[in-house]
Amino acid sequence: MSAPKNLSELYVEELKDLVSANDQMKKIVKQMAKKIEDEALSGMLDDAVGGIEEHTQTLRAMLADNGGADKSKEHCKGMEGLVAEARAHVIDEDVSDEVRAVAAIAQYQRMSHYGIAGFGTAKAFSDALGRDDDTAKLDEIVDDIYGADDFASELAERSVNLAAKQDN
């Protein structure tokens, strides 16, 4: 893949990177949901998998509309690192269910914040390029991610952190 020559090409690369990030995040979030005993958190993670898939479908449609649906595949190394951290702290570590739940929230939020940065950047690019439909879709996705992040924060503040603290 050659370096982007203009903002349009950079925008397409950003969309491809987001597809890769979402694909990776969806897999690990699905695995995390299966390891969590707290029903509210497990349900939130299951819901997140569906949301991530919807966002990925939107990205793929946007790529097709912007001439980026070719065979070259981007691999998001940033999300790769976040997924490795999530796997280490939520899937692989031998910890109590409460500690695992707190770790899952932390790792989910790290991945979500990475997504907010990427989708926000793509939105700024689409806005600068005058792609109003893309901008509106990306704005909606950013709002969705913020909503899920807020809910994860509420879970962390309410019960899960308190239960983990008592395991000292």
Side-chain angles (χ1 to χ4, degrees):
M1 183 183 310
S2 62
K5 297 178 190 88
N6 53 48
L7 184 58
S8 291
E9 289 180 6
L10 185 60
Y11 175 59
V12 167
E13 281 193 17
E14 184 69 23
L15 294 176
K16 288 179 180 181
D17 192 64
L18 286 168
V19 168
S20 172
N22 272 13
D23 286 345
Q24 293 176 63
M25 184 176 175
K26 182 179 84 173
K27 288 176 189 171
I28 193 68
V29 170
K30 190 182 289 190
Q31 291 172 13
M32 289 179 1
K34 291 177 183 175
K35 293 282 282 190
I36 300 301
E37 303 228 352
D38 180 277
E39 288 182 26
L41 178 55
S42 181
M44 191 262 327
L45 293 172
D46 281 333
D47 290 346
V49 170
I52 294 166
E53 181 58 38
E54 284 180 35
H55 298 161
T56 304
Q57 290 172 4
T58 300
L59 288 168
R60 290 184 196 286
M62 290 167 53
L63 273 168
D65 291 344
N66 287 281
D70 62 16
K71 298 289 183 195
S72 63
K73 183 152 171 85
E74 186 76 22
H75 180 73
C76 181
K77 292 196 181 288
M79 186 58 77
E80 179 182 352
L82 292 168
V83 166
E85 288 291 315
R87 181 173 314 291
H89 296 292
V90 180
I91 307 298
D92 296 340
E93 283 190 4
D94 184 22
V95 295
S96 70
D97 293 332
E98 293 83 8
V99 171
R100 186 178 317 282
V102 173
I105 290 170
Q107 297 305 318
Y108 175 79
Q109 287 189 297
R110 283 184 177 98
M111 291 183 285
S112 294
H113 291 192
Y114 186 82
I116 289 167
F119 279 100
T121 298
K123 178 186 159 193
F125 290 173
S126 69
D127 191 42
L129 292 165
R131 296 183 174 140
D132 296 338
D133 288 344
D134 286 6
T135 302
K137 291 173 187 173
L138 290 164
D139 193 38
E140 188 175 310
I141 290 171
V142 170
D143 286 347
D144 287 349
I145 299 170
Y146 271 121
D149 181 62
D150 287 345
F151 185 66
S153 290
E154 287 178 30
L155 286 175
E157 291 166 0
R158 274 193 264 152
S159 59
V160 179
N161 272 339
L162 296 175
K165 186 176 180 181
Q166 294 174 5
D167 280 350
N168 291 345

